[in-house]
């Protein structure tokens, strides 16, 4: 038996069967490194990104030894955003199919609290949610965690970045001291060490080295002078013309400023940073993923969890503070079949960071002169799609088919002109090809969807 076989773990047969039914053949590295110790009840401090299989790692840990006949909340997963909480709940429910009568509940802000009170009358075994809303329930007494034995802090660095530290610590204070605490974070700033020290008990450390062996990434560095950053970024965009790019900045406020500046220069750029509300974040990510925006300006923390396929380029507007973060950033571009592009801008005083990257990746980097960057006349990088928004979503019983139907039935539009349709609770986003955007806006605005009128807007 191999160390990466799930069957090497002391799990119940039903759980093992279900894992196999889900098509998980081997443990991912984070699972193989954390599960044996986690199942022994040890605390865990793990570095893991979205896509590493971390959710299944702690999910299996939480389901192991869960007592479904006890009407008590036994595990709590704290997440920074509703988006992540929904993803986690989904994965937990898939894993829990094997264990009859497991109750898993998601409790997040931004949705009415009243229905949650009703659902909580029968305590869920596992609660997943965002700190603010969980604390509200604890203070109201609608949720009790005094019998909790497992606590997960997922994307802990992002929770801190979003200002949840106080709520998090308050919640942890209300849990029994003899709990198992599993902390997942993609980066390890000092604050994470401090939290770990404060709330964990001799945690096992798991740190994964990023490997991108299966990807081809063309990496180029440009040395710039003071005041040349934005100009060089624009020159890079002219020269390489990438259709979809994430530009990394080190500070939140820079993202917004840079996005505005790029707009003025005729680029479609959107900022993604920790100060956005969930609704705005959903909108920005939707526009970028459905190809109606070509540039996403983000901080490391905000870009966490970003799962965007077809990313052609990553540009380090600011150099990452450490080589590991740099490698993680550029790993977002390039796929097995296509070469990705990673551009980094640095000033002379940042040269030690470039050296650190060379040492980390064990190979020299290519430094090119900005003079080689070719500017093009009348260059515009306009994204192929435009996003329309409708003030109706899942909770209004809308489905993608209804919207597609409204756009294409009795009109001269066809399905090929319509891109992704993303439905949220009360809002829907529809990507349409740029040349037909006005027409699509008119059709949806003047007509009805499922017999009802909706407000339709074209997003910038
Ligand atoms: P996560 O990093 O938790 O967001 O998981 C990334 C994806 O990998 C999810 O779609 C999981 O369902 C899937 N996954 C998790 N564990 C495994 C595994 N051992 N084998 C194959 N897929 C997995």
């Amino acid at each position: 038996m191999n160390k990466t076989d799930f069957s090497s773990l002391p799990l119940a047969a039903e759980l093992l069967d279900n894992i196999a039914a889900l098509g998980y053949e081997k443990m991912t590295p984070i699972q193989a490194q954390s599960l044996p110790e986690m199942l022994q009840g040890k605390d865990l401090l793990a570095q893991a990104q979205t896509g590493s299989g971390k959710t299944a790692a702690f999910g299996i840990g939480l389901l192991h030894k869960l007592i479904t006949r006890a009407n008590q909340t036994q595990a709590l997963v704290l997440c920074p955003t509703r988006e992540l909480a929904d993803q986690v709940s989904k994965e937990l429910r898939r894993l829990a199919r094997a264990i009859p009568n497991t109750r898993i509940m998601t409790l997040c802000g931004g949705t009415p609290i009243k229905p949650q009170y009703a659902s909580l009358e029968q305590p869920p075994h596992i609660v997943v949610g965002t700190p603010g809303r969980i604390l509200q329930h604890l203070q109201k007494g609608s949720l009790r965690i005094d019998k909790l034995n497992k606590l997960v802090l997922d994307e802990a660095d992002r929770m801190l970045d979003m200002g949840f530290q106080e709520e998090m610590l308050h919640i942890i204070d209300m849990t029994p001291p003899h709990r198992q605490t599993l902390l997942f974070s993609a980066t390890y700033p000092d604050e994470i060490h401090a939290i770990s020290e404060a709330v964990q008990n001799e945690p096992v450390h798991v740190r994964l080295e990023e490997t991108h062996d299966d990807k081809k990434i063309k990496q180029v560095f440009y040395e710039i002078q003071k005041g040349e950053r934005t100009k060089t970024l624009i020159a890079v965009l002219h020269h390489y013309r990438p259709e979809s790019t994430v530009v990394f900045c080190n500070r939140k406020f820079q993202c917004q400023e840079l996005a505005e500046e790029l707009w003025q220069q005729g680029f479609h750029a959107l900022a993604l940073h920790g100060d956005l509300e969930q609704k705005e974040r959903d909108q920005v990510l939707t526009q970028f993923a459905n190809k109606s925006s070509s540039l996403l300006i983000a901080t490391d923390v905000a870009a966490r969890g970003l799962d965007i396929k077809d990313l052609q380029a990553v540009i380090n507007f600011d150099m990452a503070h450490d080589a590991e973060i740099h490698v993680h950033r550029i790993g977002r571009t390039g796929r097995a079949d296509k070469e990705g592009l990673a551009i980094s801008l640095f000033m002379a005083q940042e040269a030690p960071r470039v050296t650190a990257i060379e040492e980390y990746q064990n190979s020299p980097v290519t430094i090119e002169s900005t003079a080689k960057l070719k500017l093009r006349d009348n260059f515009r990088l306009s994204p192929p799609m435009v996003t329309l928004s409708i003030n109706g979503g899942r909770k209004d019983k809308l489905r993608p088919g209804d919207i597609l139907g409204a756009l294409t039935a009795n009109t001269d539009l066809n399905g090929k002109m319509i891109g992704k349709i993303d439905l949220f609770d009360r809002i829907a986003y529809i990507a349409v090809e740029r040349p037909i955007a006005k027409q699509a806006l008119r059709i949806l605005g003047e007509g009805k969807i499922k017999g009802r009128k909706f407000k339709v807007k074209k997003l910038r």
Side-chain angles (χ1 to χ4, degrees):
M1 192 162 47
N2 198 298
K3 271 205 308 219
T4 55
D5 286 346
F6 281 101
S7 52
S8 67
L9 300 169
L11 293 172
E14 303 80 58
L15 198 48
L16 284 176
D17 288 347
N18 188 39
I19 290 169
L22 288 173
Y24 299 176
E25 288 170 4
K26 296 269 175 217
M27 284 190 252
T28 65
I30 179 81
Q31 293 162 357
Q33 288 182 41
S34 65
L35 271 166
E37 314 243 34
M38 211 193 298
L39 297 182
Q40 289 176 26
K42 292 193 187 150
D43 279 5
L44 178 77
L45 174 60
Q47 181 186 40
Q49 331 278 354
T50 296
S52 60
K54 70 180 161 89
T55 319
F58 67 73
I60 293 168
L62 299 187
L63 292 168
H64 179 64
K65 293 198 177 159
L66 187 84
I67 306 170
T68 48
R69 64 186 140 62
N71 255 337
Q72 289 160 344
T73 300
Q74 296 159 51
L76 173 65
V77 183
L78 291 181
C79 300
T81 61
R82 193 188 65 211
E83 185 186 318
L84 182 67
D86 285 338
Q87 271 174 37
V88 167
S89 297
K90 244 192 233 161
E91 177 82 6
L92 288 180
R93 291 202 170 96
R94 272 205 296 261
L95 289 164
R97 284 193 311 215
I99 310 164
N101 308 320
T102 313
R103 282 192 309 280
I104 299 169
M105 205 171 149
T106 319
L107 297 174
C108 293
T111 47
I113 196 162
K114 263 207 182 141
Q116 296 182 342
Y117 290 141
S119 316
L120 279 166
E121 275 168 20
Q122 197 183 11
H125 298 115
I126 302 178
V127 170
V128 183
T130 46
R133 181 55 60 91
I134 300 273
L135 191 58
Q136 258 178 302
H137 280 294
L138 289 170
Q139 286 169 335
K140 179 96 184 167
S142 39
L143 173 68
R144 291 184 51 178
I145 50 173
D146 52 337
K147 296 287 187 298
L148 192 96
N149 53 45
K150 293 189 174 89
L151 171 71
V152 179
L153 306 175
D154 196 7
E155 296 197 358
D157 50 352
R158 196 153 136 216
M159 284 202 275
L160 294 184
D161 191 69
M162 291 176 71
F164 282 136
Q165 170 149 355
E166 219 173 284
E167 278 109 332
M168 233 162 81
L169 292 174
H170 201 133
I171 294 167
I172 298 173
D173 257 355
M174 296 166 94
T175 61
H178 295 298
R179 51 159 208 271
Q180 180 182 23
T181 308
L182 311 171
L183 192 162
F184 291 82
S185 188
T187 57
Y188 279 170
D190 291 346
E191 293 87 343
I192 288 293
H193 285 287
I195 292 256
S196 165
E197 291 232 323
V199 308
Q200 295 198 287
N201 180 20
E202 295 180 14
V204 174
H205 291 235
V206 174
R207 228 180 148 140
L208 295 184
E209 294 286 333
E210 291 269 332
T211 51
H212 298 292
D213 299 347
D214 53 339
K215 289 186 180 181
K216 286 195 257 17
I217 300 175
K218 176 184 162 82
Q219 235 200 123
V220 186
F221 287 67
Y222 291 96
E223 184 175 341
I224 52 165
Q225 307 298 321
K226 196 166 187 282
E228 281 184 358
R229 240 177 245 281
T230 308
K231 189 180 111 190
T232 312
L233 170 65
I234 291 170
V236 163
L237 294 171
H238 270 252
H239 186 87
Y240 293 98
R241 290 185 288 175
E243 260 182 33
S244 65
T245 306
V246 174
V247 178
F248 282 100
C249 294
N250 287 344
R251 293 176 186 281
K252 293 189 228 181
F253 73 87
Q254 277 179 308
C255 295
Q256 197 62 49
E257 275 180 19
L258 182 59
E260 289 301 329
E261 182 148 8
L262 289 169
W263 268 99
Q264 282 166 16
Q265 305 270 347
F267 293 96
H268 196 296
L270 295 174
L272 185 73
H273 52 76
D275 288 344
L276 295 186
E277 292 192 9
Q278 183 67 36
K279 213 178 117 196
E280 298 169 304
R281 186 177 156 86
D282 288 342
Q283 185 174 316
V284 166
L285 287 176
T286 304
Q287 282 181 274
F288 188 68
N290 73 16
K291 297 193 185 306
S292 47
S293 183
S294 26
L295 288 160
L296 192 64
I297 319 292
T299 55
D300 288 296
V301 171
R304 188 82 29 74
L306 197 72
D307 182 20
I308 301 215
K309 312 219 161 38
D310 278 342
L311 190 60
Q312 290 188 352
V314 165
I315 301 178
N316 294 305
F317 184 73
D318 288 320
M319 292 281 290
H321 291 302
D322 85 48
E324 195 177 330
I325 295 180
H326 174 89
V327 171
H328 179 229
R329 282 182 180 181
I330 69 168
R332 294 175 180 281
T333 179
R335 286 160 296 149
D337 57 333
K338 245 189 180 173
E339 193 179 61
L341 176 68
I343 302 290
S344 306
L345 311 185
F346 73 100
M347 294 210 285
Q349 64 263 39
E350 293 169 315
R353 291 192 191 168
V354 180
T355 314
I357 291 165
E358 290 179 316
E359 280 168 9
Y360 187 87
Q361 62 185 27
N362 222 350
S363 61
V365 304
T366 310
I367 300 179
E368 279 186 10
S369 157
T370 52
K372 275 200 191 162
L373 292 170
K374 243 204 302 218
L375 290 172
R376 295 165 205 271
D377 289 337
N378 299 324
F379 171 68
R380 286 182 72 83
L381 197 64
S382 65
M385 310 298 277
V386 169
T387 299
L388 307 180
S389 74
I390 298 184
N391 68 333
R394 258 186 247 127
K395 294 235 160 114
D396 303 286
K397 307 259 179 298
L398 281 186
R399 286 168 310 168
D402 302 326
I403 298 169
L404 189 64
L407 277 169
T408 54
N410 308 319
T411 71
D412 54 3
L413 300 187
N414 65 54
K416 281 201 197 109
M417 303 164 173
I418 319 296
K420 264 188 92 197
I421 297 180
D422 290 282
L423 284 172
F424 293 85
D425 283 354
R426 295 281 179 204
I427 192 160
Y429 297 108
I430 305 112
V432 299
E433 286 181 352
R434 189 162 288 272
I436 61 145
K438 267 203 189 132
Q439 195 185 348
L441 181 70
R442 204 178 50 244
I443 293 171
L444 291 178
E446 290 172 2
K448 291 183 173 177
I449 308 172
K450 270 190 140 177
R452 275 174 295 162
K453 275 245 170 239
F454 289 94
K455 280 205 196 98
V456 190
K457 277 198 296 206
K458 179 166 159 277
L459 301 184
R460 79 166 202 170

